[in-house]
Amino acid sequence: MNKLLRGLLILGIAFGAVAWLAVSTRTGQDLLLPRLINAAMQSQSVTRYDGIRVFMCGTASPLPSPDRAQACIAVMAGETLYLVDAGEGSSETFNLFGESTVNIKAVLITHFHSDHISGIPDFNLNSWVSGRKAPLVLIGPAGVERIAEGFNEAFALDRSYRVSHHGEDLLPPALGELGFREIAPDEVWQDGELRISAFPVDHGPVKPAVGYRFDYKGRSVVISGDSNAVDSLVTAVGNADLLLHDALSMPMISAMEEATKRFGRERQSRIMHDIQNYHAHASMLGKAAEQAGVKMLAAYHLVPPPRNALMENVFLRDLPEGTVLTRDGMVFELPAENDGITVHEP
Ligand SMILES: [Zn+2]
Ligand SMILES: [Zn+2]
């Protein structure tokens, strides 16, 4: 063994010993802990972006996934922050990546399947505790009132405990209740310089089901919600900079259907069969994106959510080259009055 190698080996052993002492001994823990907490406190969340900033807070569908939350996309334009859907685990993902909930203005709901709404109470609680200045509003098609009122009732006791524990000055009770606004499936409205357009999608038998388009300072982002790749969507997408689309991998879902059948799991097998007709097959998204003239295609609400490189590659082989297979924590930045799109890996 030459001198250099021996030196490196001794250095490695010494480093390992110091790391072990720091993590495993009481003195080491007491030294490290305040530093780690300080570092976490100092991380600054983004509260303003000159253009459109998209944060992926959930990229999975209802099929279980260890490191993906269910459908959730945060769209920031200037200082305005909206969520599109909030499935299970998405609030946790949002917080884990250091995003701030305090400025969330509303949750735009595409439809009322559980994997798009079950994270709403957590976002509501987190943003209320963080000091949100107005009630969190749910915006969605007919039925949104029932969702808001149902959650308000289900979490009434939880809110009462928290108010009596922390006081009304810290947690004003009126800000803890969800508000709601029903929209038409093709409604277009303006929020300052941001234009939001709802458009109907094909997710039958789920009706109504909509997608949303955001236009701000010359940039545009379209979010499909759950939908087949249909013509109405192509129209709505019209030359958008970024299209985030629901995607189902037929090779994987077919394999799962076959396997569940082989193992006598008839119920699961039938579900694997039924879901094939109301999500966009990955193999069809390329044509739709090309027809719509979209600059960048990104797949989310992945059915099934890929767990490893093999599953990711099976997904990607059906998508056009350059398609982004999203993952939780990914960020897309579209600067104002510009052509560029920057993709930040988590
Ligand atoms: Zn759905
Ligand atoms: Zn869904």
Side-chain angles (χ1 to χ4, degrees):
M1 195 183 293
N2 66 32
K3 271 186 183 171
L4 178 66
L5 214 58
R6 195 181 308 138
L8 284 174
L9 191 64
I10 291 168
L11 201 66
I13 291 169
F15 184 78
V18 170
W20 181 85
L21 280 172
V23 174
S24 307
T25 66
R26 199 181 175 96
T27 311
Q29 290 158 5
D30 289 344
L31 271 171
L32 267 186
L33 196 61
R35 285 168 174 75
L36 285 174
I37 293 172
N38 281 345
M41 292 287 168
Q42 279 165 5
S43 70
Q44 295 275 324
S45 59
V46 179
T47 53
R48 183 174 199 295
Y49 183 74
D50 188 25
I52 303 181
R53 178 181 185 269
V54 175
F55 174 78
M56 303 305 297
C57 32
T59 57
S61 52
L63 295 170
S65 176
D67 50 8
R68 292 174 187 267
Q70 293 176 347
C72 176
I73 300 177
V75 178
M76 181 183 284
E79 289 175 353
T80 307
L81 178 61
Y82 285 101
L83 295 182
V84 177
D85 292 328
E88 187 182 5
S90 55
S91 172
E92 196 180 353
T93 301
F94 206 76
N95 286 310
L96 283 172
F97 279 90
E99 299 286 314
S100 169
T101 56
V102 71
N103 292 324
I104 297 173
K105 193 165 183 178
V107 185
L108 303 167
I109 304 176
T110 59
H111 63 296
F112 307 122
H113 263 149
S114 62
D115 57 311
H116 297 254
I117 60 170
S118 52
I120 288 172
D122 287 334
F123 269 112
N124 190 40
L125 172 65
N126 284 331
S127 54
W128 182 37
V129 168
S130 298
R132 177 170 34 72
K133 298 284 188 285
L136 183 64
V137 178
L138 305 187
I139 297 176
V144 70
E145 178 178 357
R146 290 180 66 186
I147 303 297
E149 290 184 346
F151 279 141
N152 281 339
E153 176 56 26
F155 289 85
L157 289 173
D158 174 78
R159 291 195 305 277
S160 74
Y161 304 145
R162 294 182 196 279
V163 170
S164 57
H165 192 185
H166 300 292
E168 292 195 6
D169 54 332
L170 197 74
L171 294 179
L175 300 185
E177 282 194 40
L178 291 161
F180 66 90
R181 182 165 85 77
E182 184 181 316
I183 53 159
D186 55 358
E187 194 165 322
V188 179
W189 70 98
Q190 202 77 28
D191 180 356
E193 290 183 83
L194 173 65
R195 187 172 76 237
I196 304 174
S197 316
F199 57 91
V201 296
D202 176 15
H203 192 42
V206 183
K207 286 179 186 164
V210 300
Y212 293 99
R213 177 182 174 121
F214 298 84
D215 287 273
Y216 180 77
K217 291 190 174 179
R219 306 311 306 267
S220 49
V221 173
V222 177
I223 297 169
S224 69
D226 289 5
S227 177
N228 284 305
V230 288
D231 289 347
S232 66
L233 201 124
V234 170
T235 312
V237 171
N239 297 316
D241 290 311
L242 173 63
L243 168 62
L244 289 143
H245 207 296
D246 165 30
L248 176 145
S249 168
M250 269 307 284
M252 278 192 277
I253 292 297
S254 299
M256 289 166 79
E257 184 185 353
E258 284 307 310
T260 44
K261 207 179 281 176
R262 211 176 305 127
F263 286 98
R265 299 181 189 170
E266 284 303 322
R267 295 180 67 88
Q268 285 100 327
S269 175
R270 196 166 137 193
I271 289 168
M272 288 304 133
H273 179 79
D274 290 347
I275 61 175
Q276 294 168 22
N277 72 357
Y278 73 171
H279 293 292
H281 293 189
S283 58
M284 295 169 78
L285 278 179
K287 190 166 152 246
E290 192 186 338
Q291 280 176 346
V294 63
K295 290 197 186 78
M296 181 182 279
L297 172 65
Y300 87 113
H301 191 282
L302 305 170
V303 190
R307 293 183 179 195
N308 49 46
L310 171 72
M311 292 172 81
E312 285 183 2
N313 287 339
V314 172
F315 236 116
L316 282 167
R317 74 187 190 194
D318 283 342
L319 290 161
E321 206 179 328
T323 301
V324 177
L325 199 65
T326 60
R327 53 183 74 185
D328 288 21
M330 192 175 263
V331 172
F332 297 86
E333 287 182 336
L334 293 78
E337 317 298 353
N338 192 301
D339 281 339
I341 304 176
T342 308
V343 183
H344 298 277
E345 291 286 338

